[in-house]
Amino acid sequence: MRKKPASQTLDPLSEVRRICLAIPETYEKEAWGGPTFRVRKGKMFVMYVDNHHGDGILGIWCAAPLGAQAMLVDLDPARFFKPPYVGVNGWIGVRLDGAVDWTEVASIIEDGYRTAVPKRSFAGLMNRANKANPPRKAKPKMTPSPRRT
């Protein structure tokens, strides 16, 4: 019996949901028969697709920075594609039905989020996130006081 690769043991929707909802001020909304992930006032940055209109693809459509779509599709057309409807706006399609590098998918989703949110808003969101989860300060080292004789 062949063992599935580690990436295949993860449920794709659960992983996409985990990645998207970990980003500040994002939420999930059902639209067009599938989950979409949005930030604040409804700006969508990811759409999860499972056989959308019978295309046979399990994946995501994700907002992307200028030029990323062409670069990724040229790099690996078996994993990346130009999705219908939103592809003309530079969005990238990512297949999740084969071996999946979830670190790479998370990076693509984070880039999509940054693309969807205005720069000023992004900076404010990150500042609020950092204030809510400030970095831990190192404990000061205790130095023994000199002994009196």
Side-chain angles (χ1 to χ4, degrees):
M1 183 174 162
R2 271 180 45 186
K3 190 175 180 181
K4 285 184 179 180
S7 65
Q8 290 302 83
T9 60
L10 300 174
D11 171 49
L13 177 55
S14 295
E15 271 305 288
V16 169
R17 184 175 281 136
R18 181 190 65 75
I19 293 165
C20 290
L21 296 178
I23 299 171
E25 296 193 34
T26 61
Y27 64 96
E28 181 176 344
K29 180 179 180 180
E30 181 85 15
W32 307 289
T36 64
F37 298 89
R38 301 162 185 250
V39 63
R40 273 207 210 150
K41 298 177 184 174
K43 185 78 171 174
M44 183 171 60
F45 64 99
V46 171
M47 181 173 174
Y48 183 85
V49 293
D50 187 356
N51 198 28
H52 185 75
H53 294 300
D55 66 4
I57 295 174
L58 173 65
I60 59 171
W61 301 350
C62 188
L66 188 62
Q69 180 195 80
M71 181 189 72
L72 290 171
V73 171
D74 287 347
L75 179 70
D76 192 349
R79 283 189 307 149
F80 303 108
F81 61 98
K82 182 179 176 180
Y85 315 113
V86 293
V88 297
N89 296 319
W91 283 47
I92 186 70
V94 182
R95 294 178 189 272
L96 303 176
D97 46 8
V100 179
D101 178 347
W102 287 106
T103 303
E104 178 182 56
V105 171
S107 178
I108 291 168
I109 289 172
E110 289 166 7
D111 286 346
Y113 168 80
R114 287 185 192 99
T115 301
V117 177
K119 287 182 185 177
R120 195 172 337 132
S121 295
F122 178 72
L125 290 173
M126 296 316 295
N127 285 339
R128 281 195 291 285
N130 289 337
K131 286 178 184 174
N133 299 310
R136 295 176 128 189
K137 291 183 180 178
K139 272 188 171 179
K141 290 185 178 180
M142 300 295 288
T143 54
S145 57
R147 291 187 172 215
R148 294 182 186 170
T149 57

